[in-house]
Amino acid sequence: MHPDVVVMGAGIIGAACAQALKARGLGVLVVDRHGPASGTSSAGEGNVLVSDKEPGPELDLARRSRELWPELAGDAEWEEKGGLVVATTPEATGPLRAFAARQRAAGVDACEITPEEALAHEPHLNPAVTAAVHYLEDAQLNPVKATRTLLRGIEVRRTEVSTTDGRSVTTADGVISCGAVVNATGPWARNFGVNVLPRRGVVLVTTPIPGRIRHKVYDADYVGAVASGDADLQTSGVVESTPAGTVLIGSSRQRKGFDDTIETEVLTALARRAIAMFPMLAEVPVMRAYGGFRPYAPDHLPIIGEDPRTPGLWHATGHEGAGVGLAPATGRLLAQLLIGEEPLVDPRPFRVDRPEVMV
């Protein structure tokens, strides 16, 4: 029998789409050239954030995802650890407070705290902090485990897709006919008709120091780096622990195609940013570094919906570094649109026929 839907891409977004479609009674086949969570989803930190998004469509999608994740995460190391955003210079204090005020007006629990309270939350934080905002809703999970959890009970076939017409996919192993196709190929989505580009990111991993860092902590520059469209290297300080006690240090953003070279310049910049927030990290060895490609859309919004040029072809991509956090609501929105349910958020900002994302 032919599947109702073929999902191209077995990362976190493809998995969430497949899960939501299956939950609505559709027969789903997922195809991926390397298997579950083998690309972008294995190269991230597993962040589920509301703290880094301006009020608007992406924040709406993030908040709905945050509501859905606890019951979907299963054994994926779900942690409601909260986030702490800090300013380390007087110049960053005003913009941080203004950003938090806009989020509070949109309903986000963004609690401005004093530098002394920030140090109580994170005793090893740099005492030079000038302002801080505590986000209780921020969370983290293991993205590889989460992807596999969402794909339970769904067939995943390892094969490479060359083309699709919306009613079939042509793979290295032959043609698969279906009722609809979902393009969830992340940074490779441009191969199927949308303007998504790879944006390189690198993460440092330290040796374990259990209990030393309690929240996801990042500096106020992070929000600007996320929203920027600059192709040149940008870094901001992002520090958080894993359940194993290792510390993940980011973040970098750089558009350089699919060049996966890990550069000393990037590693040095990340380390300096992290030490500026947590001076004690200067004495902690780095075990390794890894990188991946975020699916970058020029207008910084995900692409979710049917392609008006190719009936039957649906897209779910362009989430940049927020794919883990946005996955559940993305999957549900796509499934709702595909079968004609009432959508959980307004789908119009994510439509495929935006001038910035059509190719």
Side-chain angles (χ1 to χ4, degrees), residues 239-251:
V239 178
E240 62 193 316
S241 294
T242 69
T246 57
V247 176
L248 306 180
I249 295 171
S251 79

Side-chain angles (χ1 to χ4, degrees), residues 249-266:
I249 295 171
S251 79
S252 68
R253 282 172 164 77
Q254 192 174 19
R255 291 216 317 272
K256 46 185 280 186
F258 284 102
D259 180 356
D260 62 1
T261 305
I262 293 181
E263 300 168 319
T264 302
E265 170 195 13
V266 178

Side-chain angles (χ1 to χ4, degrees), residues 184-223:
T185 57
W188 296 272
R190 190 179 179 89
N191 295 335
F192 303 99
V194 285
N195 187 23
V196 171
L197 302 170
R199 201 177 191 194
R200 176 77 166 156
V202 175
V203 176
L204 300 179
V205 186
T206 75
T207 54
I209 50 169
R212 303 287 289 280
I213 296 172
R214 303 168 184 173
H215 303 74
K216 176 187 173 70
V217 185
Y218 59 86
D219 67 39
D221 292 341
Y222 179 76
V223 173

Side-chain angles (χ1 to χ4, degrees), residues 331-350:
R332 185 166 294 192
L333 176 60
L334 182 132
Q336 289 170 332
L337 294 173
L338 194 147
I339 69 171
E341 280 185 14
E342 183 72 21
L344 81 170
V345 297
D346 182 359
R348 289 172 295 179
F350 310 111

Side-chain angles (χ1 to χ4, degrees), residues 268-290:
T268 301
L270 293 179
R272 285 176 176 162
R273 288 277 199 168
I275 291 167
M277 289 196 298
F278 288 94
M280 60 88 176
L281 288 175
E283 307 301 322
V284 180
V286 171
M287 291 195 303
R288 64 187 181 96
Y290 64 90

